[in-house]
């Protein structure tokens, strides 16, 4: 959420930022409400001061044995006026907040302007896509051939876009989780946490999922709790409503969790296989940092996610998202896209974002400067480190062999009981 004063002082900047995202926000309505509110506050403060003086005068008259009935009546009427004004201010506060929470973050100046993903800009590539001397198959065919992915039974158990992993497929999923957690905790400085996967409305609001993305979330029928779409939500909320010490920053957390998204809409080819599931696993990285270093921290965060793909030997590219493809809360975001041979294309496998103080203002996460002075909002960042299901898909496609088996990347073999290849059991 943006600060009201910032919006008031930079209205055209905020208006352009929303328009660059393809959004229209009622800024003029907000400013009109703000003007009315400030006028009411001036009137309210004058009446409160007058009421205070009147009550003091009543006391003086009573002590002097003078009649104070008329003044008491006047102060009673004034008290009712004050209550009415307070109600008007509260109503304006609520209306203004309803607009403020729907204003997106302001994109960083380095973010390309464009209305959709076609305006995203490639930053770099790593690895050369493998040349095959046979026609590479899509991962769903490879997985079904090895009897490690069972899409039909996943649908039977739940519904479409739920998948049952079996045997070596389940082992591969677990191996990736442990590999990523070990890498981030032992080499990248993150502390592992295992948070709740059901969260309340305040948690969803703090990170920006509510109210904008409510239709994408799974909500419990009898409790006001949501299944998390990503560990970003519970991990960012660890410090909701708290004030940290400046010397404690930066704080790095990583977490493995299952994630749940309704993914309403049609996504063509992506609905097949593991690319766009309703339930999927992720290892997430979250940072709480000093405002002066957050964009440097974004580069480090992105590098941490890239290292996962490099260790696995998976070709990828990094793109910076345009304004139209940027999430509501993010100021800047890099997507990592892994190479999938079956479609001869790159597919997103990680998003690494800097939210500046946007989430922290909603969550009221501050730090106390070590040199004293007023507390300040932290900057929050998060990134997938990385999405497990999509990594399984990338391994099955990039490491497939003509006989249907799949080579196990060397970095995963210690986590796969020394297995060098996945073959039909």
């Amino acid at each position: 959420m943006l600060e009201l004063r910032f919006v008031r002082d930079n209205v055209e900047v905020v208006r352009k930022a929303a328009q660059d995202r393809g959004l229209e926000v009622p800024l003029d309505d907000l400013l009109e409400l703000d003007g009315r509110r400030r006028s009411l506050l001036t009137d309210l403060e004058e009446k409160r001061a007058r009421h205070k003086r009147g009550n003091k005068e009543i006391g003086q008259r009573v002590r002097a044995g003078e009649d104070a009935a008329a003044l008491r009546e006047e102060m009673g009427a004034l008290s009712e006026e004050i209550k009415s004004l307070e109600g008007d201010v509260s109503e304006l506060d609520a209306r203004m907040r309803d607009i403020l929470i729907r204003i997106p973050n302001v994109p960083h100046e380095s973010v390309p302007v464009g209305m959709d993903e076609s305006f995203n800009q490639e930053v770099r590539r790593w690895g050369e896509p493998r040349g095959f001397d046979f026609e590479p198959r899509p991962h769903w065919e490879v997985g079904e051939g090895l009897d490690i992915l069972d899409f039909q039974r996943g649908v039977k158990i739940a519904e479409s876009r739920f998948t049952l992993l079996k045997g070596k497929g389940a082992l591969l999923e677990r191996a990736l989780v442990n590999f990523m957690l070990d890498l981030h905790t032992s080499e990248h400085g993150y502390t592992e946490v295992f948070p709740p996967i059901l969260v309340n409305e305040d948690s969803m609001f703090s990170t920006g999922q509510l109210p904008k993305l409510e239709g994408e979330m799974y909500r419990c029928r009898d409790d006001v709790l949501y299944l998390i779409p990503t560990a970003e939500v519970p991990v960012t909320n660890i410090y909701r409503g708290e004030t940290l010490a400046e010397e404690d920053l930066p704080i790095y957390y990583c977490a493995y969790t299952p994630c749940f998204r309704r993914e309403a809409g049609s996504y063509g080819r992506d609905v097949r296989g593991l690319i766009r599931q309703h339930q999927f696993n992720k290892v997430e990285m979250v940072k709480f940092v000093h405002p002066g270093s957050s964009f440097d921290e974004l580069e480090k965060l992105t590098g941490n996610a890239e290292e996962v793909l490099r260790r696995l030997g998976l070709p990828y590219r990094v793109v910076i998202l345009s304004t139209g493809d940027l999430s509501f809360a993010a100021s800047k975001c890099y997507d990592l896209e892994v190479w999938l041979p079956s479609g001869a294309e790159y597919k997103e496998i990680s998003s690494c974002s800097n939210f500046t103080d946007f989430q922290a203002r909603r969550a009221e996460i501050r730090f106390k400067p070590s040199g004293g002075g007023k507390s300040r909002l932290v900057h929050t960042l998060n990134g997938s480190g990385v999405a497990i299901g999509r990594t399984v898909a990338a391994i099955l496609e990039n490491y497939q062999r003509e006989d249907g088996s799949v080579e196990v990347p060397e970095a995963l073999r210690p986590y796969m009981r020394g297995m060098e290849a996945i073959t039909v059991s």
Side-chain angles (χ1 to χ4, degrees):
M1 189 164 66
L2 299 179
E3 183 184 24
L4 175 60
R5 181 180 299 175
F6 176 85
V7 177
R8 185 190 300 140
D9 294 343
N10 300 275
V11 61
E12 293 309 316
V13 171
V14 175
R15 193 189 310 277
K16 183 178 185 303
Q19 290 172 346
D20 287 345
R21 292 173 176 266
L23 300 174
E24 291 291 337
V25 291
L27 291 179
D28 293 335
D29 292 347
L30 176 66
L31 295 176
E32 190 270 333
L33 293 171
D34 181 43
R36 286 168 54 190
R37 178 182 179 275
R38 287 193 285 169
S39 177
L40 287 178
L41 283 175
T42 298
D43 191 17
L44 180 59
E45 291 307 311
E46 289 175 352
K47 284 182 166 57
R48 283 171 174 167
R50 182 179 161 198
H51 189 265
K52 184 177 180 180
R53 291 194 302 269
N55 284 337
K56 184 178 180 180
E57 185 178 344
I58 288 172
Q60 291 172 343
R61 289 187 183 185
V62 169
R63 287 190 294 273
E66 300 174 357
D67 183 13
L71 188 56
R72 277 200 180 97
E73 184 176 348
E74 181 185 347
M75 290 304 103
L78 185 58
S79 178
E80 292 301 314
E81 290 180 33
I82 290 171
K83 288 179 182 178
S84 178
L85 282 173
E86 288 174 339
D88 292 341
V89 170
S90 294
E91 181 185 351
L92 288 174
D93 282 339
R95 292 173 64 185
M96 290 167 61
R97 184 177 184 275
D98 189 58
I99 296 175
L100 274 172
I101 64 175
R102 287 170 169 77
I103 299 175
N105 202 354
V106 175
H108 188 260
E109 60 186 11
S110 62
V111 172
V113 176
M115 298 312 296
D116 54 41
E117 64 182 12
S118 67
F119 291 87
N120 296 349
Q121 295 180 2
E122 184 173 316
V123 177
R124 57 184 171 272
R125 293 189 182 196
W126 183 92
E128 288 294 327
R130 172 188 167 191
F132 290 85
D133 53 11
F134 60 93
E135 186 68 26
R137 294 181 296 166
H139 66 274
W140 56 86
E141 291 184 10
V142 177
E144 287 179 323
L146 292 169
D147 195 30
I148 62 174
L149 300 179
D150 193 327
F151 298 102
Q152 291 184 347
R153 288 191 172 93
V155 173
K156 180 176 71 174
I157 295 167
E159 63 176 12
S160 62
R161 288 194 262 175
F162 287 86
T163 302
L164 174 67
L165 280 74
K166 301 164 58 179
K168 296 170 186 175
L171 177 60
L172 177 59
E173 183 99 357
R174 178 158 53 91
L176 283 166
V177 170
N178 290 330
F179 162 68
M180 293 179 197
L181 288 174
D182 284 351
L183 175 63
H184 294 319
T185 56
S186 64
E187 298 188 33
H188 295 157
Y190 293 81
T191 297
E192 182 181 352
V193 294
F194 189 74
I197 60 172
L198 284 167
V199 297
N200 56 33
E201 286 184 318
D202 287 342
S203 293
M204 283 290 204
F205 174 80
S206 294
T207 48
Q209 273 72 27
L210 291 180
K212 182 177 174 60
L213 300 175
E214 184 167 14
E216 291 294 312
M217 306 301 137
Y218 285 102
R219 176 173 168 168
C220 296
R221 183 183 64 185
D222 297 326
D223 302 283
V224 187
L225 292 170
Y226 295 82
L227 285 166
I228 61 170
T230 165
E232 166 200 349
V233 177
V235 178
T236 302
N237 277 275
I238 288 174
Y239 293 118
R240 188 177 79 230
E242 297 185 29
T243 299
L244 307 170
E246 183 175 8
E247 51 267 29
D248 291 337
L249 301 177
I251 298 171
Y252 298 175
Y253 286 132
C254 69
Y256 151 72
T257 63
C259 306
F260 305 87
R261 296 181 190 173
R262 294 185 63 239
E263 296 281 18
S266 175
Y267 296 93
R269 177 183 171 92
D270 283 355
V271 301
R272 296 199 66 182
L274 300 173
I275 298 301
R276 196 171 289 277
Q277 295 274 283
H278 291 307
Q279 175 185 327
F280 54 95
N281 293 316
K282 263 205 309 178
V283 169
E284 195 78 3
M285 303 174 292
V286 175
K287 292 185 175 187
F288 304 85
V289 306
H290 191 282
S293 63
S294 66
F295 286 98
D296 290 336
E297 292 285 358
L298 176 61
E299 300 300 323
K300 295 177 185 177
L301 179 74
T302 306
N304 296 155
E306 289 182 70
E307 185 62 21
V308 173
L309 301 179
R310 288 195 293 266
R311 297 280 180 99
L312 295 174
L314 295 172
Y316 68 89
R317 69 175 184 174
V318 180
V319 299
I320 181 172
L321 299 194
S322 68
T323 53
D325 202 26
L326 200 61
S327 75
F328 176 80
S331 176
K332 184 176 181 178
C333 177
Y334 292 110
D335 270 6
L336 275 60
E337 299 179 347
V338 70
W339 177 255
L340 292 181
S342 67
E345 60 185 344
Y346 289 96
K347 281 291 183 184
E348 178 201 336
I349 199 167
S350 171
S351 288
C352 298
S353 302
N354 182 2
F355 301 102
T356 58
D357 61 6
F358 192 86
Q359 291 181 332
R361 180 170 289 106
R362 294 166 80 103
E364 299 183 353
I365 306 172
R366 294 178 169 82
F367 71 94
K368 191 70 175 176
S370 56
K374 187 179 178 180
S375 63
R376 300 176 59 188
L377 293 168
V378 303
H379 280 196
T380 60
L381 300 89
N382 85 272
S384 306
V386 292
I388 307 298
R390 295 188 179 195
T391 308
V392 169
I395 289 172
L396 295 182
E397 293 204 10
N398 284 277
Y399 283 93
Q400 63 180 293
R401 295 168 172 170
E402 190 171 9
D403 65 1
S405 64
V406 172
E407 180 184 352
V408 175
E410 190 171 343
L412 284 185
R413 292 175 187 175
Y415 299 91
M416 293 282 292
R417 304 169 188 161
M419 194 180 304
E420 296 183 2
I422 300 174
T423 58
V424 176
S425 300

